[in-house]
Amino acid sequence: MRAKKTLLLSVLSTILVLVGCGADTTPEIIMPEQPMVSAVTSQPSTAALTQSVNTDTGTASIQTTSTTANSYTVYLITMDLADSYWKSIDDGCLAAVGEIGNITYKWTGPDAHDDALQSACIDDAVANGANAILLAANSKDGVNASLEKAADAGCKIVYVDSAASYDCVTALSTDNTIAGKTAGETMIKALQEKGITSGTIGVMGVTADTASCVARENGFRQAFEETDFTLADTVFMLDDTGNITNAVNDGLSQNYVGFFGTNEGTTVAIGNTIKDTSAESTVVGFDTSDAVLSLVADGIIYATMQQNPQVMGHDGMSIAIQALEGTYTDTNTTTDTGVTVITKDAM
C-alpha cells in the first residue's frame, strides 16, 4: 500500500508542477490495469544521512547511522551513468536510504551499454560486500553469469527499469510494451490531427539487446498494425548519437512523417536533429530529462512518456532491505509503475 501511495503522490506532484507552469490542461495519466501492490512496510527513521560522490567515476556513496539492528551494503548498477533517468532512480534510492538508515549505498555502472562492462560492475559489487544489488540490466541474458555468482554469494537481486532473465526478489518497472503502445497511439492521434493517415515513421533504439527499449518498440509497432503507416527498420544508437542524427536526416530526405525514440538518449538526439534542420515532423519519445522537456516545450517533440523512476529506486531499495531482513519472502514478483503522457499543451 505504501508503494501505491508513493506512486500516486509522484503522479500528483508532476501534475501540480505542470499546472503551476501555466497549463491549460493536465497530462494524460496511463495507469496500470492492475493496482500497484508492494510489501514495503519500512517507516521513516531519524537516521543521519551523508553522501560523497566520486566525480571521476560518477559513483555515489551514502552512509547512514541509525538504531536498526543490522547494517547492509546495497549497490545500484545502471546501464550507464549518463542519462539523467538513472539519476532519478538514484534519487529514489537515496530517499529510501534516508528513511531506513544503516545502509552503505553506492551507485555505479559502466560508461557504455555493454554486457561485459556491466558484468564487471556486478562482480565488483559482490567483491566489495554487496548484500543486495538493484540492477537495470543491459540485456536479458548477457549478465546472468555474474548474477548467478552474486546469488551464490547470498546477494539479493532487485530489478529496476530493465530486468534480466535471472531469478530475482522483484522487478519494478514500466510495463514497456504497454507504454510503447501508448506512445504509438499518441503518435497516430497527433498525425491524424494533421490530416496524415499514411507515411513512413522512423524508429530509434539503443541496442538490439536492451530489453526495456525493445519492449517499447514492440508495443509501438503493435499500435500501427491496423493502419496504413509504414514503420522503418529500427536504427540503434549504440552509444553514438551520430547514428541517430544520420538516420533522422536520411528519414527527412525520404519524407518520413514521424520519429519514435525509445529512451532519453534517442529522444534527445531525434529532437536536436529536427531542431537543427528546422524540419517539420512528429516526434514521440521517452523520459523527462530537462533536455527532453525543453524540446517538448519548444514544440519540437510532440509528446514524451514519463516513467516513475524515483518510485522504482525508492521501493526497490525498501524491498531489498525487507528481503534481507526476511520480511519479504516472495520471489520473481513484478510491479508496473505506469507512465504519464507529457505534451506541450500540458506544460
Side-chain angles (χ1 to χ4, degrees):
M1 182 63 68
R2 176 184 176 87
K4 183 175 181 181
K5 290 180 179 178
T6 304
L7 172 59
L8 292 175
L9 287 172
S10 175
V11 172
L12 289 173
S13 297
T14 299
I15 294 173
L16 289 173
V17 169
L18 293 172
V19 171
C21 294
D24 295 323
T25 60
T26 56
E28 179 184 3
I29 303 171
I30 310 297
M31 294 299 293
E33 293 182 1
Q34 297 296 324
M36 182 174 175
V37 178
S38 173
V40 178
T41 57
S42 60
Q43 299 296 319
S45 72
T46 56
L49 175 65
T50 61
Q51 175 180 356
S52 62
V53 179
N54 185 324
T55 56
D56 293 329
T57 64
T59 299
S61 178
I62 297 86
Q63 294 183 318
T64 61
T65 56
S66 74
T67 57
T68 55
N70 299 309
S71 61
Y72 298 106
T73 298
V74 182
Y75 276 68
L76 167 65
I77 301 175
T78 52
M79 296 181 194
D80 59 46
L81 297 172
D83 285 355
S84 63
Y85 178 80
W86 306 128
K87 182 63 177 71
S88 295
I89 294 180
D90 172 57
D91 288 342
C93 290
L94 288 171
V97 167
E99 294 169 7
I100 299 168
N102 219 21
I103 299 171
T104 298
Y105 165 65
K106 295 182 180 181
W107 170 32
T108 188
D111 57 8
H113 288 245
D114 182 271
D115 289 341
L117 293 176
Q118 191 174 58
S119 291
C121 292
I122 296 170
D123 295 342
D124 183 66
V126 174
N128 283 285
N131 302 111
I133 293 174
L134 276 63
L135 176 69
N138 186 63
S139 69
K140 183 178 180 181
D141 302 316
V143 298
N144 282 358
S146 289
L147 290 176
E148 183 176 8
K149 293 177 185 177
D152 288 344
C155 194
K156 300 295 184 181
I157 299 166
V158 171
Y159 296 124
V160 287
D161 179 72
S162 183
S165 58
Y166 192 81
D167 288 345
C168 67
V169 175
T170 191
L172 300 100
S173 66
T174 305
D175 186 318
N176 287 297
T177 301
I178 293 176
K181 188 173 183 180
T182 298
E185 292 167 347
T186 300
M187 178 172 282
I188 291 170
K189 180 181 177 181
L191 291 169
Q192 288 176 340
E193 288 175 351
K194 294 179 178 180
I196 301 173
T197 57
S198 64
T200 303
I201 296 166
V203 179
M204 310 300 167
V206 180
T207 71
D209 295 323
T210 305
S212 58
C213 293
V214 170
R216 293 168 197 169
E217 178 195 335
N218 290 339
F220 185 80
R221 291 182 182 276
Q222 288 175 20
F224 286 85
E225 287 177 355
E226 302 299 324
T227 72
D228 292 326
F229 292 98
T230 299
L231 271 60
D233 291 340
T234 306
V235 175
F236 296 106
M237 185 166 63
L238 302 172
D239 295 306
D240 183 356
T241 57
N243 292 332
I244 302 301
T245 299
N246 293 335
V248 172
N249 283 325
D250 185 55
L252 291 173
S253 71
Q254 298 178 58
N255 298 315
Y256 282 16
V257 296
F259 296 92
F260 172 54
T262 57
N263 78 331
E264 178 194 10
T266 56
T267 301
V268 172
I270 294 168
N272 284 338
T273 305
I274 297 294
K275 184 176 181 179
D276 291 343
T277 57
S278 299
E280 174 64 28
S281 190
T282 299
V283 179
V284 173
F286 261 82
D287 298 326
T288 50
S289 66
D290 289 345
V292 171
L293 292 178
S294 177
L295 290 164
V296 173
D298 290 341
I300 306 299
I301 293 174
Y302 173 76
T304 189
M305 305 297 109
Q306 181 187 47
Q307 302 182 81
N308 291 289
Q310 289 193 23
V311 172
M312 298 175 197
H314 178 277
D315 290 358
M317 176 66 71
S318 299
I319 292 173
I321 298 304
Q322 288 185 35
L324 289 167
E325 293 283 323
T327 57
Y328 190 101
T329 58
D330 292 337
T331 58
N332 294 318
T333 61
T334 59
T335 297
D336 176 12
T337 50
V339 295
T340 305
V341 181
I342 304 294
T343 64
K344 180 179 180 179
D345 290 341
M347 298 182 71

